[in-house]
Amino acid sequence: MRRTHCCVRILAMVVGCACLYLASPTVEGASQDAASPEVRKLIDLLGTSSSTERVTAADALGNLGPKAAPAVPVLIETLGDADAWVRASAMQAIASIGPAAIPSLVEMLEDKVAGQRIRALMVMQLMGRDAKTALPALRKALGDPVPRVRELASEIIEQIDNRGAETTAVAVVEIVPNDRPVSKPNSPSATPARAAEWHQFDGPNRDLVSPETGLLKAWPEGGPKLLWTIKGLGRGYSSVAISGRTLFTMGDQAIDGGEMSQYVYAYDLQTRKRLWATRVGPPHSDGPRCTPTVDGDLLYAIGTDGDLVCLETATGKERWRKSFADDFGGRMMSVWKFSESPLVDGDRLVCTPGGEDATLVALDKRTGEAIWKCAVPNPGDRGKDGAGYSSPVVAEIAGVRQYVQLFGRGTVGVDAETGRFLWGYNAIANSVANITTPVVRGDHVFTTTSYKTGCALLHIRRDGDQFHADEVYFLGPQDFENHHGGVVLVGDHIYGGNGQNRGGPTCLDFLTGKIAWQPEPPARGSTGVLFADGHLIFRYDRGSVVLVEATPDEFRIKGQFDPPKGEGPAWAHPALNDGRLYLRHGDLLLCYDLREAE
């Protein structure tokens, strides 16, 4: 919504806008009469009563890119659809069409209704540099009476000037690969857990790596065996944490006739019965993003309003609570609320309120009292102040234990013992949403964001008490940008989905940035990823699940299936515990058996 999780994203961009039926500006050089039969058929589907078919039609038009230009007027009408997921798909489709849609969007900027001007700007924001022909209209919008219009116009102008859009891999420091033993995890485990437990966001070491073996090397037609389902999780993109025989997650719903609220739940894995539900805070338009962190007899969770709670795992009883806003002056970099999954490291709980004096904090995990607060200095002009949508990891870098986090202004390292700011890297920040958790191995940090930004490898260098983040390479969005869903390091290669709202499977060399393979996506939407027993599991947000061999040699699919679907996008990251794959889609949780037959 990586969660976190993350997060959210394009869907949440449009949720807050009023559902207006927009006028249809004309598209220069394109009309519905000139549309191909394929485009005309998809335009007709946009008018059906099924929201699933409307999403499918918008997705297909987006895949056609500029060829779908005749559909722009109808797609702009669809921005007023009653279904937020349809609106999000239409937004992305218009952005994919690119410059041909700019005249229509510029025309929308002249509309008297602020909501329409905001929607036009949101689409241009997705376009990045493709919106450069709109610069005169964007500069004019800087004088708009509506603050949100002025803010978006300013961000888009900055984004158009983003150097990452034209940058390719350039080595700037000597690569010393002697810090990369592949048999060790990418970072030290914050809270050691039994190999069979998936006790926190993205697995035992927060790196999307499962230590399990004995799993299916290929899936049968229709996918692995479905063991059971749970319905009743409510809205949300939270994944699951598992400890012993108990599963934990979060969701928004009304329980026992009460008002809609945000909850942490516990389920018995043997009976699938809910053991308890504890209210965290107010609901969000599409639910929470945080995955609870389990630490023995306690767990920790963060609500979308920044409510941090410590609960007893056995009973759900609240031990203590903090408010990011009230206790730490916390704030988000943009509108989609808190999405972080907190980190337990020894006796402390680490999280990211995003406040001016408390960008990151370490709390006593038993009492909630502050151990230290880190005011991260501004590392550069890119991005925005406040927390991002990422979750921190802990690692030993240049001989110092550090918390590495991606926030509104970029990627940073903080001394785990004292909270002292050590280093920062601003070039990876965008002003929309910084989401993907960084990957650490040895003294190298891989970091990536979307919204026409890219990815970078940093070499963290120590000079006495000073630390420096040297850029080994930077790849622009035309090469690799992970929107959300995360990336995983296996051996010497990074694997993950490439593209904004597009999970193009990609394998690139960790130390050089050279792309080994990058085929067309096997399914629509963005994708989460995890690694287990020599294979990658890609979970696409339209529902599809794909098994891929984890090798840089070539892209080899070893199985693919479409599980039962819930509502909205399937953004919850997949989880793996005791040979069982857990897939959440909104209100629905599915459990599949991945173990090889004995």
Side-chain angles (χ1 to χ4, degrees):
M1 134 195 154
R2 307 266 38 294
R3 206 223 189 282
T4 278
H5 115 55
C6 139
C7 95
V8 214
R9 319 336 184 233
I10 308 306
L11 173 64
M13 278 184 174
V14 293
V15 167
C17 296
C19 297
L20 302 172
Y21 189 88
L22 306 181
S24 302
T26 58
V27 181
E28 290 185 0
S31 69
Q32 291 187 40
D33 292 338
S36 68
E38 180 182 11
V39 171
R40 286 199 297 270
K41 181 178 179 181
L42 294 172
I43 289 172
D44 290 341
L45 278 176
L46 286 174
T48 63
S49 59
S50 167
S51 61
T52 300
E53 289 185 354
R54 297 199 301 278
V55 167
T56 299
D59 286 345
L61 288 166
N63 289 339
L64 291 174
K67 295 179 181 178
V72 167
V74 180
L75 285 167
I76 286 177
E77 291 178 5
T78 307
L79 295 181
D81 196 280
D83 189 300
W85 190 225
V86 175
R87 301 197 300 271
S89 300
M91 215 178 228
Q92 184 63 41
I94 298 170
S96 297
I97 289 168
I102 290 297
S104 298
L105 297 172
V106 169
E107 188 175 335
M108 287 177 67
L109 287 179
E110 300 296 326
D111 199 283
K112 295 180 180 180
V113 179
Q116 296 189 20
R117 302 200 299 278
I118 289 171
R119 284 182 178 133
L121 289 167
M122 285 179 171
V123 176
M124 291 184 194
Q125 193 172 48
L126 294 179
M127 288 182 174
R129 290 181 62 84
D130 282 348
K132 60 185 177 183
T133 57
L135 276 172
L138 289 167
R139 293 191 179 103
K140 181 179 178 181
L142 293 176
D144 195 278
V146 178
R148 181 58 177 155
V149 172
R150 298 196 301 270
E151 180 184 21
L152 281 169
S154 176
E155 291 173 0
I156 297 165
I157 292 169
E158 176 189 348
Q159 193 170 290
I160 289 171
D161 293 332
N162 176 12
R163 64 119 190 198
E166 297 179 342
T167 306
T168 55
V170 179
V172 296
V173 299
E174 180 182 2
I175 298 174
V176 183
N178 61 0
D179 64 347
R180 47 179 183 145
V182 300
S183 61
K184 295 182 180 180
N186 299 341
S187 60
S189 176
T191 304
R194 297 192 300 273
E197 291 197 347
W198 195 272
H199 70 291
Q200 62 176 335
F201 179 63
D202 284 352
N205 292 300
R206 296 194 152 216
D207 56 4
L208 291 164
V209 172
S210 167
E212 296 193 26
T213 56
L215 305 179
L216 291 168
K217 303 301 187 294
W219 289 344
E221 185 177 353
K225 181 180 179 182
L226 176 61
L227 296 175
W228 50 257
T229 65
I230 294 176
K231 299 189 74 172
L233 301 184
R235 298 185 310 228
Y237 304 125
S238 302
S239 186
V240 301
I242 298 171
S243 182
R245 55 179 284 173
T246 309
L247 177 147
F248 305 90
T249 190
M250 298 180 69
D252 282 4
Q253 63 178 278
I255 294 180
D256 297 331
E259 63 179 10
M260 182 73 73
S261 293
Q262 201 158 96
Y263 290 91
V264 177
Y265 313 122
Y267 285 86
D268 186 299
L269 280 174
Q270 293 185 359
T271 66
R272 268 82 70 192
K273 299 297 185 183
R274 184 183 290 175
L275 301 174
W276 52 259
T278 299
R279 185 181 184 276
V280 176
H284 186 36
S285 57
D286 50 0
R289 295 89 164 92
C290 167
T291 299
T293 300
V294 181
D295 181 54
D297 60 347
L298 298 176
L299 72 76
Y300 307 87
I302 299 170
T304 47
D305 271 21
D307 297 295
L308 168 62
V309 296
C310 169
L311 308 178
E312 295 179 359
T313 55
T315 65
K317 179 181 178 181
E318 184 178 307
R319 286 282 192 89
W320 56 261
R321 162 186 297 262
K322 295 290 182 180
S323 165
F324 280 0
D326 296 340
D327 295 315
F328 306 111
R331 58 175 171 169
M332 288 299 298
M333 66 173 292
S334 48
V335 300
W336 300 299
K337 298 200 172 186
F338 291 97
S339 303
E340 178 183 23
S341 299
L343 169 69
V344 173
D345 182 30
D347 64 351
R348 61 194 61 187
L349 181 78
V350 181
C351 49
T352 316
E356 182 177 354
D357 299 321
T359 313
L360 277 81
V361 298
L363 310 177
D364 184 304
K365 69 180 184 182
R366 290 282 170 181
T367 66
E369 295 302 313
I371 297 173
W372 52 253
K373 303 176 185 178
C374 178
V376 174
N378 188 343
D381 294 334
R382 291 189 52 77
K384 298 177 71 174
D385 293 334
Y389 301 89
S390 180
S391 296
V393 293
V394 59
E396 191 88 8
I397 303 177
V400 175
R401 190 173 182 83
Q402 305 180 22
Y403 302 127
V404 179
Q405 174 65 306
L406 174 69
F407 81 123
R409 291 288 182 180
T411 305
V412 297
V414 173
D415 188 306
E417 181 62 29
T418 65
R420 180 171 75 95
F421 170 79
L422 299 178
W423 56 269
Y425 178 71
N426 176 245
I428 201 62
N430 67 72
S431 60
V432 183
N434 301 319
I435 302 168
T436 303
T437 295
V439 173
V440 183
R441 186 173 67 186
D443 295 344
H444 287 95
V445 177
F446 180 87
T447 184
T448 176
T449 69
S450 190
Y451 299 99
K452 310 300 180 184
T453 309
C455 67
L457 182 70
L458 311 177
H459 179 252
I460 309 304
R461 175 172 52 87
R462 184 176 182 179
D463 181 10
D465 290 336
Q466 301 300 310
F467 286 76
H468 305 274
D470 296 326
E471 188 179 277
V472 179
Y473 61 77
F474 190 104
L475 304 181
Q478 75 281 2
D479 293 314
F480 185 78
E481 58 170 356
N482 183 252
H483 191 189
H484 49 83
V487 295
V488 59
L489 175 62
V490 181
D492 292 332
H493 290 82
I494 287 280
Y495 298 88
N498 171 50
Q500 193 169 312
N501 277 338
R502 184 177 185 273
T506 300
C507 170
L508 62 86
D509 189 285
F510 179 71
L511 286 172
T512 68
K514 181 180 179 181
I515 295 175
W517 45 254
Q518 194 175 65
E520 285 298 306
R524 288 195 176 102
S526 60
T527 184
V529 64
L530 66 80
F531 169 80
D533 201 11
H535 290 77
L536 305 160
I537 297 173
F538 287 91
R539 163 66 151 164
Y540 281 85
D541 71 18
R542 301 315 197 255
S544 296
V545 188
V546 184
L547 183 70
V548 175
E549 188 174 346
T551 173
D553 296 341
E554 64 175 328
F555 178 66
R556 289 198 284 264
I557 292 179
K558 305 296 286 294
Q560 182 169 349
F561 72 104
D562 290 317
K565 292 179 173 60
E567 293 294 325
W571 280 336
H573 288 199
L576 181 61
N577 177 72
D578 195 23
R580 298 181 174 190
L581 176 67
Y582 294 86
L583 303 173
R584 178 175 181 178
H585 191 173
D587 189 59
L588 180 67
L589 179 65
L590 308 166
C591 177
Y592 288 87
D593 190 352
L594 298 189
R595 291 169 292 195
E596 290 182 314
E598 296 182 358

